[in-house]
Amino acid sequence: GNSVTQMEGPVTLSEEAFLTINCTYTATGYPSLFWYVQYPGEGLQLLLKATKADDKGSNKGFEATYRKETTSFHLEKGSVQVSDSAVYFCALPSGGYQKVTFGIGTKLQVIP
Amino acid sequence: NAGVTQTPKFQVLKTGQSMTLQCAQDMNHEYMSWYRQDPGMGLRLIHYSVGAGITDQGEVPNGYNVSRSTTEDFPLRLLSAAPSQTSVYFCASSYASGDYEQYFGPGTRLTVT
């Protein structure tokens, strides 16, 4: 089945630093790719998605490009804020009955 | 829309007790699922359902039971709680077609002593 490999954290950055969280995938065909975010004490919520190869998803200053050549969907933000402190999950449909496979999650801490 | 709701938010059980975690959605989603989240383990799928009357096992189903009598509700039952079931539990739902974007509930933090 489809799978994702996500860099492990935690990642600690100073405010206004550049963020990259790596995600690579293995998939049959070209399924949609997702980044979810989990703020402390909350459930996961969709951050952004890309539905086909070469698409770029973006939201709240975050971006990720669906790259089929490198089978990657890295999350980037040019200038992080303290409020971006959260756990970030890469995900894709895992094949069959709408199941979704999530990466292990990367905890981001942004310090002032 | 309330989205996906879960109750209770927190629960403490003694080993051997049983309980039901409630999950409901008001988006008419066909697909619903239960995950548990443990430190360093990410999200692991417990059970899922593709519609009323249809359920199947996920990655870690042992010790849990589910049923789906309506489109809206998908309760998770712990038959005989064990300390290994201490975790945060999330319910999620999605449409059965399209890109399978998941909508999550706020979670239930369960401690088994």
Side-chain angles (χ1 to χ4, degrees):
Chain A
N2 299 343
S3 64
V4 291
T5 302
Q6 180 178 351
M7 64 182 283
E8 293 196 36
V11 174
T12 302
L13 295 174
S14 298
E15 207 165 21
E16 298 183 3
F18 185 86
L19 168 71
T20 300
I21 300 177
N22 291 336
C23 172
T24 56
Y25 66 90
T26 302
T28 302
Y30 300 104
S32 297
L33 300 175
F34 305 91
W35 277 102
Y36 287 83
V37 59
Q38 182 183 30
Y39 298 105
E42 299 183 10
L44 280 71
Q45 58 185 272
L46 182 69
L47 178 61
L48 56 83
K49 65 182 178 183
T51 57
K52 60 183 187 293
D54 301 323
D55 262 4
K56 177 185 285 187
S58 61
N59 187 26
K60 299 182 181 180
F62 290 88
E63 293 183 340
T65 301
Y66 192 157
R67 299 198 187 279
K68 62 181 180 182
E69 301 84 2
T70 54
T71 62
S72 64
F73 193 55
H74 304 325
L75 182 68
E76 298 180 334
K77 187 174 186 182
S79 177
V80 294
Q81 305 301 311
V82 172
S83 57
D84 294 326
S85 297
V87 182
Y88 294 83
F89 294 88
C90 186
L92 82 168
S94 52
Y97 291 119
Q98 303 84 32
K99 287 190 288 184
V100 174
T101 295
F102 290 86
I104 198 167
T106 302
K107 184 174 183 178
L108 170 67
Q109 182 179 13
V110 181
I111 55 178
Chain B
N1 284 353
V4 180
T5 58
Q6 289 184 240
T7 56
K9 196 164 179 63
F10 301 95
Q11 183 70 50
V12 179
L13 290 178
K14 295 188 186 303
T15 298
Q17 289 184 316
S18 62
M19 79 158 295
T20 299
L21 280 61
Q22 301 292 343
C23 174
Q25 53 91 11
D26 61 359
M27 296 172 282
N28 205 30
H29 286 165
E30 301 91 344
Y31 179 77
M32 297 185 73
S33 56
W34 277 101
Y35 293 89
R36 59 178 290 174
Q37 183 179 31
D38 302 291
M41 305 288 287
L43 290 170
R44 293 184 290 171
L45 182 64
I46 304 171
H47 284 286
Y48 63 97
S49 169
V50 299
I54 305 170
T55 63
D56 206 346
Q57 296 180 353
E59 187 183 349
V60 288
N62 292 342
Y64 306 95
N65 202 0
V66 293
S67 60
R68 183 102 177 264
S69 56
T70 67
T71 299
E72 295 79 17
D73 300 300
F74 190 44
L76 178 72
R77 279 180 286 277
L78 278 69
L79 309 172
S80 177
S84 60
Q85 294 179 304
T86 293
S87 187
V88 181
Y89 292 85
F90 289 101
C91 179
S93 70
S94 72
Y95 290 111
S97 59
D99 60 18
Y100 310 143
E101 176 184 340
Q102 301 291 302
Y103 294 78
F104 282 83
T108 295
R109 184 174 293 274
L110 175 68
T111 302
V112 183
T113 61

